[in-house]
Amino acid sequence: MARKMIFFDIDGTLLDHDKKLPASTKEAIGQLKRLGHEVAIATGRGPFMFKDIRDELGIDSFVSYNGQYVEWKGKPLFVNPIQTRLLQQLTEYADGQGHPLVYMDVETMRSNKEYHVHIEESISTLKVPHPAHDPDYFRNRDIFQTLVFCTIGEEPMYRERFPALHFIRWHQFSMDVLPLGGSKARGIEEMIGALGIDRSDVCAFGDYFNDIEMLQFAGTSVAMGNAPDLVKKAADHVTRDVGDDGIWHGLRMVGLL
């Protein structure tokens, strides 16, 4: 079999609904590597939020922050931070709306509010504690992703006011904020371009709205059975639910195992 590069989303794809790694998924990743395939992660999380998963699976290449920070074999390959000017404007506007923000760089994340219930409710679903408070964290450092905490009904005001930013809803109270054009597909394109890997040799697995561009870009794409219909329509194949050996089944479906 020709050598392939397979990208896996984390939440709802590698990790099940309880944020646990199914035994069948761990075994499948090991088999892919033994067969000589390259395995990487493509996630909206920051690098510091999934080091334990990388260590457990022996994966040292990833696309993080929805494509804005990419590493290959432990070394930065592509970086695309948000302009400080835009972050200042976003902060001022969100403050006026009473909406908190979380700024995220390679090392950690910080909130511009000491505490907010919407931050707690959203972040806790990732099994991560409420970030520490530092309202100036976006100054003088590269911020690759920001979280704005607002309801779905309040979402359009941000899209209209900030056409140079890309907003992706991931929780009923939170959106990812990226540079315009930012996506997992962009990060994957940068990685395979640097490595000389053809798009047709890329396979991607995902389950949510921030995976759509990646699924459309990959030569072969698989949506998890737990994905919304819009995500399933973007993929070539649909596997079982993440909790029902979805990764293992999907890899067999596309002939990689």
Side-chain angles (χ1 to χ4, degrees):
M1 181 188 301
R3 185 184 184 193
K4 301 290 185 180
M5 186 161 198
I6 306 101
F7 291 87
F8 294 96
D9 170 55
I10 293 179
D11 299 287
T13 302
L14 286 178
L15 297 183
D16 65 18
H17 305 294
D18 296 319
K19 302 301 179 186
K20 295 181 179 179
L21 184 68
S24 63
T25 296
K26 186 173 182 178
E27 173 60 25
I29 299 298
Q31 285 205 31
L32 285 176
K33 293 166 67 179
R34 288 191 291 273
L35 288 168
H37 299 299
E38 291 288 351
V39 180
I41 286 172
T43 180
R45 292 183 180 223
F48 63 93
M49 300 171 71
F50 61 99
K51 186 178 184 304
D52 56 339
I53 300 171
R54 301 200 306 274
D55 290 344
E56 185 171 0
L57 294 176
I59 296 175
D60 54 8
S61 299
F62 59 82
V63 170
S64 67
Y65 286 139
N66 288 305
Q68 311 322 297
Y69 182 82
V70 178
E71 281 194 8
W72 168 253
K73 303 296 184 184
K75 295 182 180 180
L77 187 151
F78 173 71
V79 296
N80 187 33
I82 304 173
Q83 294 179 19
T84 303
R85 171 183 60 84
L86 290 173
L87 288 171
Q88 178 67 51
Q89 294 172 0
L90 178 66
T91 298
E92 292 172 357
Y93 183 74
D95 276 346
Q97 305 301 317
H99 298 153
L101 298 174
V102 167
Y103 311 109
M104 311 176 82
D105 67 355
V106 173
E107 298 177 352
T108 191
M109 58 183 171
R110 292 289 183 263
S111 170
N112 70 340
K113 305 297 180 186
E114 290 190 19
Y115 176 82
H116 195 284
V117 64
H118 287 177
I119 297 179
E120 180 72 33
E121 186 166 339
S122 304
I123 294 290
S124 66
T125 65
L126 302 176
K127 306 297 183 182
V128 174
H130 191 295
H133 178 225
D134 186 347
D136 295 316
Y137 196 71
F138 70 93
R139 305 183 192 278
N140 303 314
R141 56 171 44 88
D142 285 340
I143 300 297
F144 296 101
Q145 184 169 276
T146 298
L147 307 179
V148 58
F149 297 84
C150 65
T151 65
I152 295 172
E154 295 164 326
E155 182 176 324
M157 67 175 71
Y158 284 94
R159 299 187 186 279
E160 294 170 8
R161 191 173 186 90
F162 298 99
L165 294 172
H166 182 39
F167 297 89
I168 306 173
R169 174 68 57 177
W170 67 275
H171 186 275
Q172 64 172 329
F173 293 133
S174 186
M175 290 190 292
D176 293 332
V177 185
L178 309 171
L180 186 65
S183 69
K184 293 183 182 182
R186 169 78 188 282
I188 291 173
E189 186 174 24
E190 292 288 342
M191 181 182 285
I192 66 172
L195 300 175
I197 296 173
D198 193 88
R199 178 175 172 180
S200 63
D201 290 324
V202 172
C203 181
F205 283 70
D207 79 298
Y208 213 58
F209 299 122
N210 63 333
D211 295 316
I212 288 177
E213 295 95 338
M214 172 178 74
L215 294 173
Q216 293 172 333
F217 175 83
T220 303
S221 58
V222 182
M224 305 303 290
N226 43 283
D229 287 343
L230 187 64
V231 179
K232 291 177 180 178
K233 290 177 182 178
D236 300 318
H237 307 275
V238 178
T239 184
R240 298 173 182 170
D241 186 281
V242 61
D244 187 24
D245 300 327
I247 292 296
W248 178 273
H249 180 76
L251 288 168
R252 290 183 61 84
M253 180 186 299
V254 298
L256 288 172
L257 288 183

PDB file of all heavy atoms in Angstrom, residues 94-112:
ATOM      1  N   ALA A  94     -15.780  43.591  22.409  1.00  0.00           N
ATOM      2  CA  ALA A  94     -16.343  42.554  23.285  1.00  0.00           C
ATOM      3  C   ALA A  94     -16.599  43.102  24.691  1.00  0.00           C
ATOM      4  O   ALA A  94     -17.613  42.769  25.324  1.00  0.00           O
ATOM      5  CB  ALA A  94     -15.404  41.350  23.335  1.00  0.00           C
ATOM      6  N   ASP A  95     -15.681  43.931  25.176  1.00  0.00           N
ATOM      7  CA  ASP A  95     -15.888  44.555  26.484  1.00  0.00           C
ATOM      8  C   ASP A  95     -17.175  45.364  26.504  1.00  0.00           C
ATOM      9  O   ASP A  95     -17.930  45.342  27.483  1.00  0.00           O
ATOM     10  CB  ASP A  95     -14.698  45.466  26.832  1.00  0.00           C
ATOM     11  CG  ASP A  95     -13.537  44.705  27.446  1.00  0.00           C
ATOM     12  OD1 ASP A  95     -13.735  43.543  27.845  1.00  0.00           O
ATOM     13  OD2 ASP A  95     -12.429  45.268  27.526  1.00  0.00           O
ATOM     14  N   GLY A  96     -17.424  46.081  25.410  1.00  0.00           N
ATOM     15  CA  GLY A  96     -18.633  46.891  25.318  1.00  0.00           C
ATOM     16  C   GLY A  96     -19.907  46.062  25.306  1.00  0.00           C
ATOM     17  O   GLY A  96     -20.973  46.543  25.698  1.00  0.00           O
ATOM     18  N   GLN A  97     -19.777  44.805  24.866  1.00  0.00           N
ATOM     19  CA  GLN A  97     -20.928  43.901  24.829  1.00  0.00           C
ATOM     20  C   GLN A  97     -21.049  43.052  26.095  1.00  0.00           C
ATOM     21  O   GLN A  97     -22.005  42.292  26.235  1.00  0.00           O
ATOM     22  CB  GLN A  97     -20.820  42.962  23.614  1.00  0.00           C
ATOM     23  CG  GLN A  97     -20.662  43.673  22.281  1.00  0.00           C
ATOM     24  CD  GLN A  97     -21.795  44.614  21.966  1.00  0.00           C
ATOM     25  OE1 GLN A  97     -22.960  44.279  22.180  1.00  0.00           O
ATOM     26  NE2 GLN A  97     -21.471  45.812  21.474  1.00  0.00           N
ATOM     27  N   GLY A  98     -20.056  43.169  26.970  1.00  0.00           N
ATOM     28  CA  GLY A  98     -20.054  42.351  28.183  1.00  0.00           C
ATOM     29  C   GLY A  98     -19.637  40.918  27.941  1.00  0.00           C
ATOM     30  O   GLY A  98     -20.000  40.017  28.709  1.00  0.00           O
ATOM     31  N   HIS A  99     -18.869  40.689  26.862  1.00  0.00           N
ATOM     32  CA  HIS A  99     -18.443  39.334  26.495  1.00  0.00           C
ATOM     33  C   HIS A  99     -16.958  39.140  26.823  1.00  0.00           C
ATOM     34  O   HIS A  99     -16.113  39.899  26.342  1.00  0.00           O
ATOM     35  CB  HIS A  99     -18.657  39.086  24.997  1.00  0.00           C
ATOM     36  CG  HIS A  99     -20.085  39.178  24.579  1.00  0.00           C
ATOM     37  ND1 HIS A  99     -20.469  39.532  23.298  1.00  0.00           N
ATOM     38  CD2 HIS A  99     -21.227  38.946  25.273  1.00  0.00           C
ATOM     39  CE1 HIS A  99     -21.793  39.519  23.233  1.00  0.00           C
ATOM     40  NE2 HIS A  99     -22.272  39.172  24.406  1.00  0.00           N
ATOM     41  N   PRO A 100     -16.621  38.132  27.602  1.00  0.00           N
ATOM     42  CA  PRO A 100     -15.210  37.871  27.922  1.00  0.00           C
ATOM     43  C   PRO A 100     -14.466  37.230  26.756  1.00  0.00           C
ATOM     44  O   PRO A 100     -15.074  36.687  25.833  1.00  0.00           O
ATOM     45  CB  PRO A 100     -15.293  36.910  29.108  1.00  0.00           C
ATOM     46  CG  PRO A 100     -16.579  36.180  28.886  1.00  0.00           C
ATOM     47  CD  PRO A 100     -17.515  37.176  28.273  1.00  0.00           C
ATOM     48  N   LEU A 101     -13.128  37.305  26.826  1.00  0.00           N
ATOM     49  CA  LEU A 101     -12.253  36.703  25.828  1.00  0.00           C
ATOM     50  C   LEU A 101     -11.201  35.849  26.516  1.00  0.00           C
ATOM     51  O   LEU A 101     -10.835  36.095  27.668  1.00  0.00           O
ATOM     52  CB  LEU A 101     -11.534  37.776  25.004  1.00  0.00           C
ATOM     53  CG  LEU A 101     -12.366  38.740  24.160  1.00  0.00           C
ATOM     54  CD1 LEU A 101     -11.464  39.799  23.548  1.00  0.00           C
ATOM     55  CD2 LEU A 101     -13.118  37.989  23.073  1.00  0.00           C
ATOM     56  N   VAL A 102     -10.685  34.863  25.778  1.00  0.00           N
ATOM     57  CA  VAL A 102      -9.523  34.087  26.207  1.00  0.00           C
ATOM     58  C   VAL A 102      -8.498  34.140  25.082  1.00  0.00           C
ATOM     59  O   VAL A 102      -8.829  33.852  23.933  1.00  0.00           O
ATOM     60  CB  VAL A 102      -9.892  32.629  26.538  1.00  0.00           C
ATOM     61  CG1 VAL A 102      -8.638  31.770  26.672  1.00  0.00           C
ATOM     62  CG2 VAL A 102     -10.704  32.562  27.831  1.00  0.00           C
ATOM     63  N   TYR A 103      -7.265  34.552  25.421  1.00  0.00           N
ATOM     64  CA  TYR A 103      -6.179  34.657  24.450  1.00  0.00           C
ATOM     65  C   TYR A 103      -5.298  33.412  24.558  1.00  0.00           C
ATOM     66  O   TYR A 103      -4.931  32.993  25.655  1.00  0.00           O
ATOM     67  CB  TYR A 103      -5.331  35.899  24.725  1.00  0.00           C
ATOM     68  CG  TYR A 103      -6.124  37.172  24.913  1.00  0.00           C
ATOM     69  CD1 TYR A 103      -6.236  37.768  26.174  1.00  0.00           C
ATOM     70  CD2 TYR A 103      -6.769  37.774  23.836  1.00  0.00           C
ATOM     71  CE1 TYR A 103      -6.961  38.939  26.350  1.00  0.00           C
ATOM     72  CE2 TYR A 103      -7.496  38.942  24.000  1.00  0.00           C
ATOM     73  CZ  TYR A 103      -7.592  39.520  25.262  1.00  0.00           C
ATOM     74  OH  TYR A 103      -8.318  40.681  25.432  1.00  0.00           O
ATOM     75  N   MET A 104      -4.916  32.838  23.401  1.00  0.00           N
ATOM     76  CA  MET A 104      -4.205  31.557  23.402  1.00  0.00           C
ATOM     77  C   MET A 104      -2.918  31.650  22.588  1.00  0.00           C
ATOM     78  O   MET A 104      -2.947  32.030  21.415  1.00  0.00           O
ATOM     79  CB  MET A 104      -5.121  30.477  22.838  1.00  0.00           C
ATOM     80  CG  MET A 104      -6.508  30.470  23.457  1.00  0.00           C
ATOM     81  SD  MET A 104      -7.664  29.273  22.738  1.00  0.00           S
ATOM     82  CE  MET A 104      -7.167  27.778  23.605  1.00  0.00           C
ATOM     83  N   ASP A 105      -1.789  31.320  23.227  1.00  0.00           N
ATOM     84  CA  ASP A 105      -0.524  31.238  22.498  1.00  0.00           C
ATOM     85  C   ASP A 105      -0.016  29.802  22.566  1.00  0.00           C
ATOM     86  O   ASP A 105      -0.761  28.894  22.947  1.00  0.00           O
ATOM     87  CB  ASP A 105       0.498  32.260  23.010  1.00  0.00           C
ATOM     88  CG  ASP A 105       0.982  31.979  24.421  1.00  0.00           C
ATOM     89  OD1 ASP A 105       0.476  31.035  25.072  1.00  0.00           O
ATOM     90  OD2 ASP A 105       1.882  32.704  24.885  1.00  0.00           O
ATOM     91  N   VAL A 106       1.240  29.582  22.205  1.00  0.00           N
ATOM     92  CA  VAL A 106       1.766  28.218  22.164  1.00  0.00           C
ATOM     93  C   VAL A 106       1.828  27.600  23.554  1.00  0.00           C
ATOM     94  O   VAL A 106       1.598  26.402  23.728  1.00  0.00           O
ATOM     95  CB  VAL A 106       3.164  28.205  21.510  1.00  0.00           C
ATOM     96  CG1 VAL A 106       3.787  26.828  21.624  1.00  0.00           C
ATOM     97  CG2 VAL A 106       3.067  28.594  20.043  1.00  0.00           C
ATOM     98  N   GLU A 107       2.121  28.421  24.564  1.00  0.00           N
ATOM     99  CA  GLU A 107       2.398  27.890  25.894  1.00  0.00           C
ATOM    100  C   GLU A 107       1.175  27.729  26.783  1.00  0.00           C
ATOM    101  O   GLU A 107       1.093  26.800  27.588  1.00  0.00           O
ATOM    102  CB  GLU A 107       3.414  28.792  26.596  1.00  0.00           C
ATOM    103  CG  GLU A 107       4.755  28.843  25.880  1.00  0.00           C
ATOM    104  CD  GLU A 107       5.724  29.795  26.546  1.00  0.00           C
ATOM    105  OE1 GLU A 107       5.298  30.521  27.469  1.00  0.00           O
ATOM    106  OE2 GLU A 107       6.886  29.817  26.138  1.00  0.00           O
ATOM    107  N   THR A 108       0.200  28.638  26.679  1.00  0.00           N
ATOM    108  CA  THR A 108      -0.934  28.588  27.594  1.00  0.00           C
ATOM    109  C   THR A 108      -2.051  29.486  27.084  1.00  0.00           C
ATOM    110  O   THR A 108      -2.043  29.948  25.944  1.00  0.00           O
ATOM    111  CB  THR A 108      -0.507  29.011  29.009  1.00  0.00           C
ATOM    112  OG1 THR A 108      -1.562  28.722  29.936  1.00  0.00           O
ATOM    113  CG2 THR A 108      -0.147  30.487  29.076  1.00  0.00           C
ATOM    114  N   MET A 109      -3.039  29.749  27.940  1.00  0.00           N
ATOM    115  CA  MET A 109      -4.116  30.675  27.602  1.00  0.00           C
ATOM    116  C   MET A 109      -4.466  31.504  28.833  1.00  0.00           C
ATOM    117  O   MET A 109      -4.300  31.052  29.967  1.00  0.00           O
ATOM    118  CB  MET A 109      -5.345  29.917  27.099  1.00  0.00           C
ATOM    119  CG  MET A 109      -5.918  28.894  28.061  1.00  0.00           C
ATOM    120  SD  MET A 109      -7.313  28.018  27.285  1.00  0.00           S
ATOM    121  CE  MET A 109      -7.595  26.714  28.496  1.00  0.00           C
ATOM    122  N   ARG A 110      -4.942  32.719  28.592  1.00  0.00           N
ATOM    123  CA  ARG A 110      -5.274  33.640  29.669  1.00  0.00           C
ATOM    124  C   ARG A 110      -6.582  34.354  29.342  1.00  0.00           C
ATOM    125  O   ARG A 110      -6.867  34.674  28.181  1.00  0.00           O
ATOM    126  CB  ARG A 110      -4.167  34.678  29.869  1.00  0.00           C
ATOM    127  CG  ARG A 110      -2.864  34.096  30.416  1.00  0.00           C
ATOM    128  CD  ARG A 110      -3.006  33.680  31.867  1.00  0.00           C
ATOM    129  NE  ARG A 110      -1.759  33.178  32.443  1.00  0.00           N
ATOM    130  CZ  ARG A 110      -1.440  31.903  32.551  1.00  0.00           C
ATOM    131  NH1 ARG A 110      -2.282  30.980  32.086  1.00  0.00           N
ATOM    132  NH2 ARG A 110      -0.308  31.537  33.094  1.00  0.00           N
ATOM    133  N   SER A 111      -7.364  34.623  30.373  1.00  0.00           N
ATOM    134  CA  SER A 111      -8.650  35.290  30.231  1.00  0.00           C
ATOM    135  C   SER A 111      -8.525  36.774  30.551  1.00  0.00           C
ATOM    136  O   SER A 111      -7.730  37.171  31.399  1.00  0.00           O
ATOM    137  CB  SER A 111      -9.662  34.645  31.181  1.00  0.00           C
ATOM    138  OG  SER A 111     -10.846  35.405  31.252  1.00  0.00           O
ATOM    139  N   ASN A 112      -9.351  37.593  29.879  1.00  0.00           N
ATOM    140  CA  ASN A 112      -9.346  39.016  30.231  1.00  0.00           C
ATOM    141  C   ASN A 112     -10.317  39.323  31.361  1.00  0.00           C
ATOM    142  O   ASN A 112     -10.493  40.477  31.744  1.00  0.00           O
ATOM    143  CB  ASN A 112      -9.637  39.890  28.998  1.00  0.00           C
ATOM    144  CG  ASN A 112     -11.077  39.790  28.496  1.00  0.00           C
ATOM    145  OD1 ASN A 112     -11.787  38.833  28.805  1.00  0.00           O
ATOM    146  ND2 ASN A 112     -11.486  40.763  27.706  1.00  0.00           N
TER     147      ASN A 112
END
